[in-house]
Each structure stands twice: as C-alpha cells, then as structure tokens.
Amino acid sequence: KIPTEPYQLVSLELGAVLRLSGETPRFIIYSNAENMPAIWQAFSQTHTYADKNLWELLEIEAGIPDITAATQEEFVPQMVNLDALNAINYKKGCYTGQEIIARTHYLGKVKRRTVLAEVSTEISPQLADDVFAAAGGEAVGKVVRVAKSTPNTYQLLVEVRLEALEAGGIVWQGNALTMRPLPYTV
C-alpha cells in the first residue's frame, strides 16, 4: 500500500513508506538492505527513482530548506520558513537559540523569508551566495538551496529581506531572479 496524504506513513511487512509534502508525490522508503529490492520492485511499477538533482528540484519546489555547512548559522528558523512548515515546536523545553526563536514568534515580525525563485544563467549559483537588490546593488539575502531545471535555468530557494522583495528586482551575479509562488503561506 502506498501513502496518499503528505506525511502519511504506511507500515509494510518488509519496511515502511513515508509520503513527503509537495505537489509532486515523493516518498522515502525505510527498510533493511536485503528487503529493499523487493520493495523497490513493487514500488517501481508506478513510480520512478529520483536522482540527486531531481530530488533537490522537488525539495525546492516544495519550499523545503536544507541547512548545510555553507549556510549554517546564517539564519534563524523563521527566515527559512520552518514556522510555516510546522517544523518549530514553541512548547518544547530549552534548546540553543530558543529565546530568539520564541521572541520572534510571540513579539516580533519576521523581516526576512525564504522565497522560491528561478534564474537563467550558464553557471550554477552556489549555496550561501549573496543575492542583491537590482537598484543599489546592496546584498539582501542568500541562496539556501539550488538545482538545475533546464540546461541554462536553475531553481532556487533564496532567503531575502522582505522590503527588498517588495521593492522588486533581486539579482544573482547580475542575473534577474524570477519569483515563483511557494506551495504554502508564510
């Protein structure tokens, strides 16, 4: 049986299958190595394997950030929309950064958010690259996630200051970013 709802987990005799969020159904299969061929054989009748770039592209389209060594300590969780993804527990006990996260949630206003964007270029943007306001050339955000979608087009998750986004005209290395809607509300 295959899960039909986002975050639904179906237990199987040989393992489990978890459906992830996003418009394109995506799944993670959990099992041990000896059972995986049988599970994959059954699953592959109706689904295809995603290589690393396709998986990154689907994660970007779902608006899911990924913090790596290049981007660690660059953002608070709300800046990468973890609150909109219900990935923050405000009732949990003590943890590093709890005060800032809770203060932002209960008292403050988030001034930076992660958005979905596309850029046409022959070279790939890199994680943590700065993006700039087209008018004035000031750094207004950073690349959070990137994947190639066509030979000269990349899909990005970009953390950006909201006032710069409202002013319009965000660029990466002089290439205009085209903003696309996220699949959730921030």
Side-chain angles (χ1 to χ4, degrees):
K1 181 176 177 170
I2 296 173
T4 57
E5 298 297 320
Y7 303 114
Q8 180 183 7
L9 179 70
V10 172
S11 294
L12 307 168
E13 184 179 329
L14 304 177
V17 179
L18 173 68
R19 177 163 174 189
L20 300 177
S21 66
E23 289 186 30
T24 301
R26 300 173 304 129
F27 305 90
I28 296 178
I29 301 171
Y30 299 95
S31 185
N32 61 32
E34 65 188 38
N35 292 330
M36 283 303 287
I39 293 172
W40 178 247
Q41 180 63 29
F43 210 78
S44 67
Q45 303 301 314
T46 54
H47 294 80
T48 58
Y49 173 80
D51 65 18
K52 183 176 180 0
N53 187 74
L54 178 56
W55 187 263
E56 284 296 309
L57 189 57
L58 293 171
E59 288 280 279
I60 290 167
E61 289 175 352
I64 309 293
D66 186 29
I67 305 303
T68 66
T71 58
Q72 71 184 15
E73 298 188 26
E74 292 288 338
F75 318 111
V76 296
Q78 291 95 331
M79 294 164 89
V80 289
N81 304 342
L82 292 181
D83 54 337
L85 292 164
N86 295 318
I88 302 173
N89 183 343
Y90 295 103
K91 295 178 182 169
K92 183 176 178 338
C94 296
Y95 55 89
T96 304
Q98 176 188 14
E99 256 183 64
I100 288 177
I101 294 164
R103 190 177 315 127
T104 301
H105 175 69
Y106 292 111
L107 302 174
K109 180 179 178 195
V110 178
K111 296 179 181 177
R112 303 174 77 95
R113 283 293 188 174
T114 295
V115 296
L116 182 57
E118 180 176 282
V119 64
S120 294
T121 176
E122 292 182 12
I123 58 171
S124 176
Q126 300 298 305
L127 298 178
D129 278 359
D130 287 328
V131 295
F132 298 87
E138 176 186 7
V140 294
K142 292 199 174 285
V143 174
V144 175
R145 202 165 199 167
V146 60
K148 185 178 248 186
S149 57
T150 68
N152 290 322
T153 307
Y154 294 84
Q155 302 300 314
L156 311 167
L157 284 178
V158 179
E159 175 274 334
V160 66
R161 289 196 323 236
L162 292 176
E163 80 260 4
L165 191 61
E166 291 167 8
I170 308 292
V171 299
W172 171 81
Q173 292 193 0
N175 299 291
L177 298 183
T178 301
M179 301 303 163
R180 298 179 45 225
L182 285 165
Y184 53 81
T185 305
V186 290

